[in-house]
């Protein structure tokens, strides 16, 4: 899935855009492909991948392979059960809303909005 996501992530990061110094939260970010793509868009952009504890060891491997550990952090958690960390300029959700029902997505989008700083954005694809 990572290698399939890489070209898409670069295109999406270009379309969504980030500015120098932005903080990005990649909810359910898996391999970190999107988080890394956002970081590559502008100087000083940092990202956090929020995903399940059984997924994040895989994320760490991809970050190490791409030498991105200094720009992409990891927080273990379940976006359906746990609060999201806050203070982000961009909260990004990719391919995680489609399996949920309306009530689950409403709760998830509220968490995403709460994780964004004032003036921040929530983007779902």
């Amino acid at each position: 899935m990572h290698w399939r996501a890489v070209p898409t992530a670069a295109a999406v990061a270009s379309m969504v855009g980030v500015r120098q110094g932005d903080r990005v939260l990649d909810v359910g970010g898996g391999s970190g492909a999107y988080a890394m793509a956002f970081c590559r868009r502008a100087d000083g952009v940092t990202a956090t991948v929020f995903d399940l504890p059984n997924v994040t060891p895989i994320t760490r491997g991809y970050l190490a392979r791409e030498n991105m550990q200094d720009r992409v952090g990891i927080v273990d958690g379940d976006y359906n059960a746990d609060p999201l960390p806050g203070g982000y300029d961009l909260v990004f959700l990719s391919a995680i809303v489609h399996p949920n029902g309306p009530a689950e997505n409403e709760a998830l989008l509220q968490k995403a909005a709460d994780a964004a700083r004032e003036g921040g954005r929530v983007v779902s694809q």
Side-chain angles (χ1 to χ4, degrees):
M1 287 180 60
H2 174 75
W3 298 113
R4 218 172 18 171
V6 169
T8 303
V12 168
S14 176
M15 286 186 283
V16 170
V18 288
R19 294 179 305 267
Q20 184 173 352
D22 275 356
R23 295 181 66 223
V24 177
L25 178 63
D26 186 358
V27 181
S31 71
Y34 285 90
M36 290 187 277
F38 283 114
C39 287
R40 289 182 177 118
R41 293 297 307 161
D43 290 338
V45 173
T46 59
T48 301
V49 172
F50 184 90
D51 214 324
L52 297 167
N54 63 323
V55 172
T56 57
I58 297 165
T59 311
R60 285 182 179 83
Y62 283 110
L63 295 177
R65 183 176 299 154
E66 299 292 325
N67 196 29
M68 293 291 286
Q69 313 92 307
D70 61 330
R71 299 202 43 205
V72 181
I74 296 172
V75 174
D76 288 348
D78 178 342
Y79 57 75
N80 286 318
D82 299 319
L84 300 176
Y88 290 90
D89 300 291
L90 172 64
V91 180
F92 183 71
L93 303 96
S94 175
I96 62 172
V97 297
H98 65 280
N100 299 335
E104 292 167 309
N105 280 331
E106 184 176 336
L108 178 57
L109 290 172
Q110 183 60 60
K111 285 182 183 184
D114 292 344
R117 68 165 180 76
E118 187 173 326
R121 302 177 290 157
V122 174
V123 175
S124 177
Q125 81 140 22

